[in-house]
Amino acid sequence: MAEKKGKKKSKYTTVSIPTPLYKKIKKRIEETGFTSVSDYVTYVLREVLASLEEEEKEEAFTEEEEEKVKERLRALGYLD
Amino acid sequence: MITVIAIDALEYTLVEEFNMRNLKQDYYGRTDISEFSEPRTMVLWSSFMTGENREAEILAKGDKEMWNTRIPHEETFFSHFKNPFVLDLPGYNYDLEQHRRERELLKEFFEEKDEERKREVRRKYNENAFAHHRRVKERFFEALEGDYDFVLGYFSVADVIGHLNFGNRSLMKMIYRDLDDIVSRVEGKKIVLSDHGMKAVGAFGDHSDYGFWSTNFRDLGRPRITDFKRIVLQEALGE
């Protein structure tokens, strides 16, 4: 099979984290199945993003709540 | 040098719940704003910087004109300093266009009936607020390196984002963590102060009727927002 010419695009990239945090994670993964700090950080970030996305989806509000907050925002001068 | 980190709508109960150690510093508590008829941002910050209750004067301007308030420098306690730096403070020098745009998007959100478009307006609203917050942070950290005898940075992100997203705990916690980090990077005497807090109305946020304060130098008890003129001048200049 012919190989593609040129630089192969990596699936990974580098991010910086504070050294004390790195050390803290390194210590923590000793009690887990994670084999590297990168794997642990990837896991935590995926969890955080999923939780943010989940909460965005769940943010349904009733008409009554919307009316109530509109009224308050008017009283505070934010809305005409 | 004393630094004031002025945070709009920083909520005492969330600082406790998220256990934000830098926001809490060594001493912290709630401020008493019961003398005001409503916890209005413009009224509270104007009263803070002058050490006087300015409610009647600000409300007399009407809801629209109120946002254009500019208290003259000589009437503020900032004038006691030789070289003060005050960043984006309502009632003094905040970015009128930025905050007008925020109110415009807020209005657009509530006027929109279609759910999908409503989400899109909120996304734009949040993006606009975070972009402003990043700019303010950058200018604040530059100011900390400058030759000033007083620095005040005003951060509106918890208020602006909170009004439409207070029910999103992860997002609010992320904002509080960011604010906590900002405070941790300030050296010397510092005061963290909010005008009012925030309480939930479903997924939205309304102003709560007390503010938050913290210091790394002494216990202030339950101060009024107008007491901070005296507190700052005493701590910084011995006046």
Side-chain angles (χ1 to χ4, degrees):
Chain A
M1 193 168 76
E3 274 186 34
K4 271 187 185 174
K5 278 185 182 173
K7 212 174 172 183
K8 203 176 171 188
K9 208 173 179 183
S10 171
K11 280 183 176 174
Y12 295 90
T13 189
T14 310
V15 294
S16 304
I17 61 171
T19 308
L21 180 62
Y22 175 85
K23 286 181 180 164
K24 212 170 162 180
I25 297 170
K26 206 171 172 198
K27 189 149 180 56
R28 175 156 285 267
I29 62 172
E30 284 169 10
E31 296 162 28
T32 72
F34 291 100
T35 52
S36 70
V37 170
S38 292
D39 285 352
Y40 187 84
V41 168
T42 303
Y43 159 74
V44 171
L45 291 180
R46 282 190 178 134
E47 284 292 306
V48 170
L49 286 177
S51 141
L52 274 169
E53 283 161 12
E54 197 53 42
E55 288 200 55
E56 273 163 20
K57 269 189 244 160
E58 280 173 9
E59 267 178 42
F61 42 82
T62 63
E63 265 181 47
E64 194 188 345
E65 283 164 0
E66 187 167 337
E67 278 312 310
K68 195 174 168 191
V69 84
K70 262 163 80 173
E71 206 45 57
R72 288 295 302 141
L73 291 172
R74 262 187 217 112
L76 296 169
Y78 287 93
L79 295 174
D80 310 336
Chain B
M1 225 284 269
I2 190 162
T3 305
V4 175
I5 303 105
I7 304 176
D8 210 299
L10 188 72
E11 170 55 38
Y12 177 91
T13 56
L14 281 195
V15 174
E16 281 282 34
E17 187 187 319
F18 298 152
N19 194 22
M20 295 293 163
R21 294 207 173 94
N22 297 301
L23 285 170
K24 290 202 274 194
Q25 303 192 80
D26 301 323
Y27 309 96
Y28 67 100
R30 297 177 201 224
T31 60
D32 176 4
I33 53 170
S34 60
E35 68 187 282
F36 301 95
S37 65
E38 288 281 1
R40 292 181 181 89
T41 289
M42 187 57 77
V43 168
L44 292 164
W45 290 118
S46 299
S47 302
F48 155 77
M49 71 181 91
T50 56
E52 296 166 356
N53 183 331
R54 307 291 281 247
E55 186 171 40
E57 176 192 333
I58 305 287
L59 293 189
K61 293 169 187 262
D63 279 351
K64 272 195 176 159
E65 194 47 37
M66 166 178 86
W67 296 104
N68 298 327
T69 301
R70 293 282 201 229
I71 306 260
H73 180 70
E74 305 70 45
E75 291 179 31
T76 71
F77 73 79
F78 313 141
S79 63
H80 291 241
F81 292 90
K82 283 193 184 114
N83 194 22
F85 178 87
V86 177
L87 176 61
D88 203 36
L89 186 65
Y92 184 70
N93 64 350
Y94 86 154
D95 183 339
L96 293 175
E97 180 49 33
Q98 169 64 26
H99 297 281
R100 189 197 57 74
R101 177 76 181 132
E102 285 162 7
R103 291 195 302 279
E104 197 178 81
L105 285 166
L106 198 60
K107 193 176 169 193
E108 206 178 313
F109 175 86
F110 286 112
E111 281 175 355
E112 184 57 65
K113 297 291 172 221
D114 179 79
E115 285 303 313
E116 197 49 48
R117 283 203 295 268
K118 225 175 173 52
R119 268 196 289 275
E120 182 55 26
V121 176
R122 184 170 64 183
R123 196 189 55 74
K124 265 199 285 181
Y125 174 86
N126 289 357
E127 263 182 27
N128 178 59
F130 280 120
H132 179 65
H133 177 63
R134 288 194 294 272
R135 287 192 296 271
V136 166
K137 256 197 333 188
E138 202 174 319
R139 289 176 61 201
F140 179 67
F141 289 129
E142 276 169 20
L144 292 177
E145 302 297 315
D147 186 24
Y148 301 106
D149 53 354
F150 173 75
V151 171
L152 182 149
Y154 168 77
F155 299 89
S156 61
V157 68
D159 182 68
V160 181
I161 296 294
H163 279 308
L164 290 193
N165 306 269
F166 201 63
N168 186 336
R169 306 294 274 185
S170 304
L171 184 62
M172 292 313 293
K173 190 169 185 179
M174 194 171 78
I175 290 168
Y176 274 57
R177 175 67 62 199
D178 184 25
L179 294 166
D180 192 73
D181 180 62
I182 291 170
V183 176
S184 76
R185 293 164 67 178
V186 178
E187 289 174 357
K189 276 187 186 174
K190 53 189 163 183
I191 296 176
V192 174
L193 180 66
S194 77
D195 46 353
H196 51 75
M198 190 159 268
K199 58 185 176 188
V201 178
F204 303 109
D206 181 16
H207 294 179
S208 60
D209 52 10
Y210 49 80
F212 174 91
W213 67 266
S214 76
T215 80
N216 59 353
F217 52 84
R218 74 179 159 99
D219 188 356
L220 304 177
R222 192 165 174 120
R224 295 177 309 155
I225 199 160
T226 47
D227 291 336
F228 283 86
K229 171 183 177 177
R230 176 181 49 79
I231 294 163
V232 171
L233 294 178
Q234 213 168 49
E235 287 300 325
L237 306 171
E239 286 183 10

